[in-house]
Structures are given as C-alpha cells and as structure tokens.
Amino acid sequence: SIGRNDALANSMELAASLLSALRRGYIWACDWGELCFRGDVMKMIVEGLEGKGGVPATNLAFVFADVGCGLSPGHVDRLKQVTRARRLLDKALPPERVDRTHAPWLQARHIFGWVMRSENLTRCFWRPYQEGAFWRSAGFDCPSMAKPLGATKSWV
C-alpha cells in the first residue's frame, strides 16, 4: 500500500511516472485504497493500464481502489476489467513461460509465503489465492469447476 499520497493523487507527471514503472512488468499488485486520485489523474492511469487491443499494458493482475476515496465507480469498474483481462492472459500462458515479468503472480512456488502473509495484498480485493491457477502453479491438484447455479457473485 502506498498510503495517502496527495502528490501522486494530484499530479499528472507523477502518475505518468507510476505508469512508466508499472509498464516495466515487475509489479503485479497494488493497493490504492487510501489514494484519493483526482478524476483526470485516475482517468490517465486507467487508460494507461488498459493498453491497446484489449491487451493490458502492464502486469497488474490485482488492484484495490476505493470509491469511498472519491474514485468514480466507472474508473473502479475499468480497473476490475483490466486486471481480470490480465489474469485471463496470464492463466493462458504455458507454465514454462511464467517468470518475473510474465504472469509473475503464478510463480507460486517462489511467492507463496509472501502472498499468504501479506495483509496489504490480501485485505480488501481479489487475491491470488482465489484463483485455481495460483494453486495449480504451486503443485496442488485443483481441478476447474463451473460456478454452481444460484451461487453468489462472490463465489470463488
């Protein structure tokens, strides 16, 4: 979690620097729950994450951003869409292609303890351990299942 950072939340220049860092591919999760991004700054960030042709421009597979901090529901929905798209692309990679900059959250054998102990990562939003692919990449037998009829929206 970055915590409250008014400079980043209000600066197009700093947001551009954040996007530049994210595009390097090493960061796959962010907690922006305490950031109160100005609308135009958040718009630029979301557009920068979305990339071209439905392919996200970064490796962000998990992001928490809060409408309670003044973000528009539309921006939060777009963040959910772009991170979901990233997770789907990541899960389609053959295991031998997973590395530090390609589906890094699926390097479960290397990051398992960190993911399971990280309150900031797992506190409020979609978590790696809610994905069957995460468990399979760690060597667990975890068959895919269809969502049961009548299951709630939060069924995993």
Side-chain angles (χ1 to χ4, degrees):
S1 174
I2 297 172
R4 184 169 169 176
N5 186 323
D6 292 337
L8 172 61
N10 291 295
S11 169
M12 297 291 266
E13 183 179 349
L14 291 176
S17 293
L18 172 64
L19 282 170
S20 178
L22 292 172
R23 285 188 188 116
R24 295 187 71 190
Y26 295 106
I27 299 170
W28 52 269
C30 284
D31 179 350
W32 296 335
E34 298 171 8
L35 291 175
C36 303
F37 286 104
R38 203 172 65 204
D40 59 332
V41 173
M42 192 66 210
K43 180 180 184 230
M44 184 182 95
I45 290 172
V46 170
E47 288 173 354
L49 296 175
E50 287 172 330
K52 306 252 189 272
V55 178
T58 73
N59 274 331
L60 280 182
F62 304 92
V63 175
F64 176 65
D66 193 356
V67 295
C69 285
L71 297 182
S72 77
H75 286 151
V76 172
D77 286 342
R78 286 170 67 189
L79 280 173
K80 288 180 182 179
Q81 290 171 17
V82 75
T83 56
R84 182 176 187 277
R86 169 49 53 205
R87 290 191 305 273
L88 291 173
L89 289 168
D90 289 352
K91 289 186 280 187
L93 279 177
E96 63 275 5
R97 296 242 358 255
V98 172
D99 61 26
R100 184 67 180 92
T101 59
H102 299 90
W105 65 276
L106 289 174
Q107 288 187 303
R109 293 179 191 270
H110 303 287
I111 63 168
F112 187 83
W114 180 81
V115 167
M116 300 309 283
R117 288 189 299 268
S118 177
E119 180 181 343
N120 283 340
L121 177 63
T122 61
R123 177 179 51 152
C124 302
F125 59 104
W126 195 252
R127 304 152 188 85
Y129 61 75
Q130 289 176 287
E131 292 279 352
F134 175 78
W135 293 101
R136 285 188 287 278
S137 70
F140 290 88
D141 180 24
C142 186
S144 296
M145 295 181 61
K147 185 175 182 175
L149 219 53
T152 64
K153 186 178 178 183
S154 62
W155 182 85
V156 179

